[in-house]
Amino acid sequence: MPTFDPADSGKQPMSLWHKTPSLEQINRSHEDTAVSQMGIEFIEVGADYLVARMPVDARTRQPAGLLHGGATMLLAETLASCAAWQTIDRTRTDAVGLEINANHLRAAREGWVTGRVAPVHAGRSTQVWEVRVSDERQRLVSISRVTISLIPKAPAP
């Protein structure tokens, strides 16, 4: 899997994407879904990562007034699934979530949280992605690992 090590000065990262996605395309593909209902917005595309943000508001808080862990996991799975979809030839392969886990490390009560997804492993049949969710002060709120299964599509008759 191509990755970029900032210590290798002068080298440009190799793109992980099958076809370089645009923010407009990604955000449009999530209209009228749980993603848009929760206020999630994709805000950055890198060579091997995506960034999205989510408001901490009435849609995403639990009754105690804190960011709901399930909302954070929705952000994490959205980022990982979207990233996986960008790495495959969708005419030949489907990408589906297989497993997700999260450690919620800090409460968020207001503002925005931002998630950044980056690859850990990209094999022929599975991908593993790490999602780090931070608050507006760049403090780590949650860290997730998402495993994606890559399934070949059946040939057309």
Side-chain angles (χ1 to χ4, degrees), residues 97-119:
L98 187 62
E99 189 268 343
I100 183 171
N101 71 47
N103 293 99
H104 304 298
L105 306 170
R106 176 183 303 280
R109 298 181 193 301
E110 61 186 10
W112 292 83
V113 291
T114 301
R116 184 183 192 279
V117 64

Side-chain angles (χ1 to χ4, degrees), residues 46-141:
D48 67 349
Y49 67 91
L50 297 175
V51 178
R53 68 184 194 152
M54 180 176 70
V56 180
D57 63 15
R59 295 170 289 182
T60 59
R61 283 190 198 108
Q62 58 172 273
L66 306 174
L67 177 62
H68 195 292
T72 306
M73 290 184 75
L74 177 72
L75 175 61
E77 183 150 359
T78 297
L79 277 160
S81 294
C82 185
W85 274 99
Q86 306 309 316
T87 68
I88 61 173
D89 177 351
R90 291 184 234 169
T91 64
R92 304 173 84 191
T93 308
D94 280 325
V96 296
L98 187 62
E99 189 268 343
I100 183 171
N101 71 47
N103 293 99
H104 304 298
L105 306 170
R106 176 183 303 280
R109 298 181 193 301
E110 61 186 10
W112 292 83
V113 291
T114 301
R116 184 183 192 279
V117 64
V120 174
H121 164 77
R124 286 186 297 251
S125 61
T126 60
Q127 296 180 350
V128 179
W129 297 87
E130 179 183 81
V131 182
R132 298 176 71 87
V133 178
S134 301
D135 65 14
E136 291 176 308
R137 294 172 53 191
Q138 309 307 312
R139 298 177 301 179
L140 190 60
V141 170

